[in-house]
């Protein structure tokens, strides 16, 4: 968002940024990977996910981060 001059001032703007990136790239994995990251963030505070689901979600977050890194180039 910063690099593209998009708003970056809260949770809503993060979701809007991800939506824009999905449209910009056509990469259908961006949305679902972001949702996994959001679930893990929520779980950090609420602790409702079983440990094996957290572990499997970490791979999705790694993949999401790699996709974002490619967009910074």
């Amino acid at each position: 968002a910063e690099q593209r001059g998009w708003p970056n001032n809260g949770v809503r703007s993060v979701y809007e940024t991800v939506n824009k990136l999905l449209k910009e790239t056509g990469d259908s994995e961006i949305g679902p990977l972001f949702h996994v990251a959001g679930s893990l963030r929520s779980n950090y505070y609420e602790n409702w996910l079983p440990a094996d689901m957290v572990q499997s979600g970490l791979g999705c977050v790694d993949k999401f981060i790699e996709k974002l890194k490619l967009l910074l180039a």
Side-chain angles (χ1 to χ4, degrees):
E2 291 281 330
Q3 191 178 60
R4 288 169 169 76
W6 297 340
N8 186 17
N9 58 352
V11 174
R12 180 177 178 88
S13 65
V14 171
Y15 279 84
E16 289 173 352
T17 295
V18 171
N19 192 46
K20 288 177 183 179
L21 292 174
L22 175 61
K23 290 177 182 178
E24 178 184 303
T25 64
D27 186 341
S28 62
E29 288 186 312
I30 287 176
L33 293 172
F34 175 71
H35 283 294
V36 171
S39 292
L40 292 178
R41 178 188 176 275
S42 178
N43 185 69
Y44 176 81
Y45 297 100
E46 299 175 19
N47 196 29
W48 43 266
L49 283 172
D52 57 336
M53 290 183 77
V54 171
Q55 189 63 38
S56 68
L58 294 176
C60 293
V61 173
D62 288 340
K63 187 172 184 178
F64 180 65
I65 290 170
E66 289 306 312
K67 288 178 178 284
L68 293 179
K69 285 181 180 177
L70 291 173
L71 295 173
L72 291 173

